[in-house]
Amino acid sequence: MDKVREMMQRLSQNMPAGGGGALPKVLGVSALGLAGIAYGGGNCLVNVEGGHRVVMFHRFGGVQQRVRAEGTHIIVPWFQRAIDYDVRAKPRMIQSMTGSKDLQMVNISLRVLSRPEVAHLPQIYRELGTDYDERVLPSIVNEVLKAVVAQYNAAQLITMREAVSRKIRALLVQRAADFHIVLDDVSITHLSFGKEYTAAVEAKQVAAQEAERARFIVDKAKQEKRSTMIRAEGEAKSAQLIGDAVRDNPGYIQLRRLEAAREIAGTLSKSTNKVNVRA
């Protein structure tokens, strides 16, 4: 535009003073033509960045089926308008509160990695617009989560988390394909339950620990009882053997007396106290 303005100033300076007729009109039309060329030259090119695609909207033909790839493309200003789409995979976190099979409230956070199908971008623009993911993903994720979680109870959601995640992914990929959206990854990032269920689980764990402790005490008492019985049986057996030895060998008592006297003498010999022993 600056060049056009400069050219028009030069033409006005070169015009004869007081001149009239067809020459000024021709110059005016030329100036307008140059201005139009300068405006169109800056708006007839569109650049498509890497990881993007462009859908063309024609004022007379509507949305065109051809999708422009990366690079620079020529468009007709005013008649055509470029709609840019980012076709790279984008992560999105979606939270949902739903109920399990045993009527427990479950709070699930799902991470979804999605991108549009490039070949169907004109249809996506025609039916959903540029914010297609905002329109579609929250609704279908909530729908699939409610359908899947309702098939498991709270304990199964924890112990069978991988199987639940696979089932959610399979149904969600199938549901998103109806809207020409590709899901590269679907994963459960957070899973929690209501306060009542959490308190019940904690109480159950405490009760289980108390029961385990009581079982340990009972087992310990049984072991002590068995040990006492074994010790008593051993003492009875020892007494029986001693009685048999005394009955069969009268000198056994004398031998035991001598051994006791030897032990007493050894103890007294090591003591520093004085001991008087009657003769």
Side-chain angles (χ1 to χ4, degrees):
M1 292 299 293
D2 295 336
K3 293 181 178 180
V4 173
R5 191 178 299 108
E6 183 180 354
M7 187 179 297
M8 292 178 63
Q9 290 177 356
R10 291 179 180 177
L11 289 173
S12 62
Q13 291 175 359
N14 295 329
M15 288 177 58
L23 183 59
K25 295 181 180 180
V26 173
L27 293 176
V29 173
S30 301
L32 291 175
L34 291 174
I37 293 173
Y39 173 79
N43 293 274
C44 66
L45 298 178
V46 58
N47 292 321
V48 183
E49 302 294 335
H52 290 245
R53 296 293 186 273
V54 162
V55 175
M56 289 296 180
F57 175 79
H58 199 283
R59 290 187 180 272
F60 299 112
V63 179
Q64 299 178 356
Q65 291 301 318
R66 179 190 170 193
V67 178
R68 269 65 172 183
E70 301 169 0
T72 301
H73 303 272
I74 299 175
I75 64 173
V76 181
W78 192 84
F79 288 98
Q80 289 181 316
R81 178 164 54 90
I83 298 96
D84 185 82
Y85 274 92
D86 187 353
V87 296
R88 294 171 294 187
K90 293 183 295 184
R92 185 183 182 89
M93 293 292 298
I94 301 176
Q95 294 183 350
S96 177
M97 179 71 72
T98 182
S100 63
K101 188 176 181 180
D102 53 353
L103 303 181
Q104 298 294 334
M105 297 307 297
V106 184
N107 186 15
I108 299 182
S109 296
L110 204 66
R111 180 182 179 271
V112 179
L113 200 62
S114 64
R115 56 184 173 84
E117 291 185 12
V118 175
H120 293 87
L121 283 178
Q123 183 178 353
I124 293 175
Y125 177 72
R126 189 180 297 111
E127 297 177 355
L128 301 173
T130 55
D131 56 344
Y132 63 94
D133 53 345
E134 183 69 29
R135 294 171 179 262
V136 174
L137 290 180
S139 59
I140 64 174
V141 167
N142 279 281
E143 175 188 351
V144 170
L145 285 178
K146 291 180 184 298
V148 174
V149 173
Q151 302 176 16
Y152 300 88
N153 56 40
Q156 289 175 334
L157 290 175
I158 298 176
T159 58
M160 303 174 60
R161 179 167 178 168
E162 185 176 354
V164 174
S165 180
R166 287 199 303 267
K167 192 166 187 178
I168 291 174
R169 175 189 173 90
L171 293 178
L172 202 55
V173 168
Q174 181 180 358
R175 192 73 178 88
D178 296 337
F179 301 93
H180 307 294
I181 298 175
V182 179
L183 300 182
D184 293 329
D185 182 65
V186 177
S187 58
I188 299 175
T189 59
H190 180 71
L191 180 65
S192 62
F193 301 92
K195 295 181 180 180
E196 295 79 4
Y197 181 78
T198 304
V201 171
E202 292 177 355
K204 184 178 180 180
Q205 291 178 347
V206 172
Q209 292 176 357
E210 292 294 336
E212 188 67 25
R213 182 179 179 183
R215 190 180 300 108
F216 172 76
I217 294 174
V218 171
D219 292 341
K220 183 179 180 181
K222 289 181 179 179
Q223 292 294 334
E224 291 178 351
K225 181 179 179 180
R226 187 176 301 172
S227 176
T228 302
M229 292 175 62
I230 293 174
R231 184 165 53 251
E233 291 176 357
E235 291 176 355
K237 186 68 174 177
S238 176
Q240 182 181 359
L241 292 175
I242 292 173
D244 294 342
V246 172
R247 185 183 65 249
D248 298 338
N249 188 6
Y252 178 75
I253 297 177
Q254 187 64 27
L255 178 62
R256 294 291 297 172
R257 187 178 297 170
L258 292 174
E259 290 178 354
R262 189 186 305 114
E263 292 178 0
I264 293 172
T267 302
L268 293 176
S269 64
K270 295 177 182 179
S271 177
T272 57
N273 298 326
K274 293 182 178 180
V275 181
N276 296 321
V277 181
R278 293 181 179 182

